[in-house]
Amino acid sequence: DELEQAIRRSIHTINGSQLSDAAKRFGQFWFKQQPILTERFFLDLLNETIPSNQDEIKNSAYNRGIPYSDRIRVQPLLISVQRWRQSVSLQDEKVIEYGLKNIAEEILTVEDDFAYFFHLRRGTMLGLLLPGNSDSGDWDNNSLKEKCNRMITVSNDFFKCDLSCYIGSSVRVNEFTLTVNELLTLQRANEELFNKVFVLNEQPATYETYKMI
């Protein structure tokens, strides 16, 4: 059928062209055409409903109609709302977190790069970053730090909350669950530090204020 042909074209593309070109195609499907399907897939990975080995992941992706290649790399980014500067109801909190999700995706999605965030637990969002402009599949962490600082500024000024960002390593999908668990450990170890940007295996970046352009 049409979906199966699209999956086969995606696989053929990644086997026969630059990784960056394939990442653009995967990003279009994962985050633009079928974001909910993609979100469920990665949540099942985190919950270990899907074991973290390439054969199981590939079979699960195929059965769900999700284009997949073991060459694709994703970079997880955790955003944690740490404190509200004013009293908010649970409903208001959900609305603001939805606004934060949209702001994060808008700041991080530039040209052919893709970013998709979903709710992980109360006050915590997980982002899937898929670069379309890099043959290595890696984001520029310095650029990510700057964008995270910008998100912190927006959150402080407009949403009246403090938050921190935790940037993971760029990994293959079978390493995704391990990396996210490392980010959650990093988050727990730094809960008392507000408005910071942390990079896995690096020292925390100093917070700087970036004005909205």
Side-chain angles (χ1 to χ4, degrees):
D1 59 14
E2 185 177 342
L3 178 59
E4 184 173 350
Q5 291 177 2
I7 294 172
R8 292 183 184 279
R9 284 197 300 271
S10 296
I11 294 173
H12 175 75
T13 298
I14 198 166
N15 287 332
S17 65
Q18 292 291 328
L19 184 60
S20 59
D21 293 333
K24 294 173 189 176
R25 293 178 181 269
F26 277 66
Q28 284 287 348
F29 183 93
W30 284 3
F31 305 144
K32 299 296 184 182
Q33 298 176 26
Q34 295 290 343
I36 303 303
L37 191 64
T38 301
E39 177 180 330
R40 184 71 259 168
F41 175 72
F42 279 95
L43 280 173
D44 283 347
L45 268 174
L46 291 177
N47 295 329
E48 299 184 354
T49 304
I50 304 172
S52 291
N53 70 71
Q54 290 288 12
D55 288 339
E56 293 283 354
I57 293 170
K58 190 176 296 185
N59 289 337
S60 179
Y62 180 81
N63 290 335
R64 298 172 188 222
I66 299 174
Y68 174 78
S69 168
D70 54 17
R71 291 182 61 202
I72 284 291
R73 302 174 72 89
V74 295
Q75 188 161 0
L77 192 158
L78 204 66
I79 296 179
S80 174
V81 177
Q82 300 167 294
R83 179 176 62 185
W84 298 99
R85 298 184 177 183
Q86 57 189 20
S87 178
V88 294
S89 66
L90 182 59
Q91 181 62 34
D92 289 341
E93 191 175 319
K94 291 179 179 179
V95 171
I96 294 171
E97 286 184 0
Y98 181 75
L100 286 172
K101 163 185 160 66
N102 290 337
I103 289 293
E105 290 175 353
E106 181 178 342
I107 289 174
L108 287 162
T109 302
V110 180
E111 296 180 349
D112 294 317
D113 293 336
F114 296 93
Y116 178 76
F117 283 81
F118 56 86
H119 180 81
L120 193 60
R121 61 192 185 197
R122 185 177 180 182
T124 304
M125 291 186 296
L126 179 63
L128 305 174
L129 311 183
L130 185 65
N133 287 317
S134 170
D135 290 339
S136 67
D138 294 334
W139 285 64
D140 177 0
N141 275 347
N142 288 329
S143 175
L144 275 181
K145 291 175 187 177
E146 181 177 339
K147 292 177 188 297
C148 285
N149 275 311
R150 190 177 179 194
M151 284 189 283
I152 290 171
T153 299
V154 172
S155 301
N156 293 170
D157 293 346
F158 295 98
F159 296 118
K160 306 304 179 186
C161 66
D162 297 306
L163 63 79
S164 287
C165 299
Y166 306 84
I167 301 171
S169 306
S170 175
V171 295
R172 298 188 190 279
V173 177
N174 64 308
E175 302 168 313
F176 177 78
T177 299
L178 175 62
T179 302
V180 172
N181 285 333
E182 290 175 341
L183 287 178
L184 290 169
T185 299
L186 183 63
Q187 177 194 19
R188 288 192 294 270
N190 294 280
E191 288 178 336
E192 301 303 317
L193 299 177
F194 296 159
N195 301 318
K196 300 288 185 182
V197 179
F198 299 87
V199 180
L200 200 61
N201 302 321
E202 287 186 13
Q203 293 297 317
T206 302
Y207 170 63
E208 295 178 35
T209 301
Y210 285 82
K211 293 183 178 180
M212 293 290 289
I213 297 175

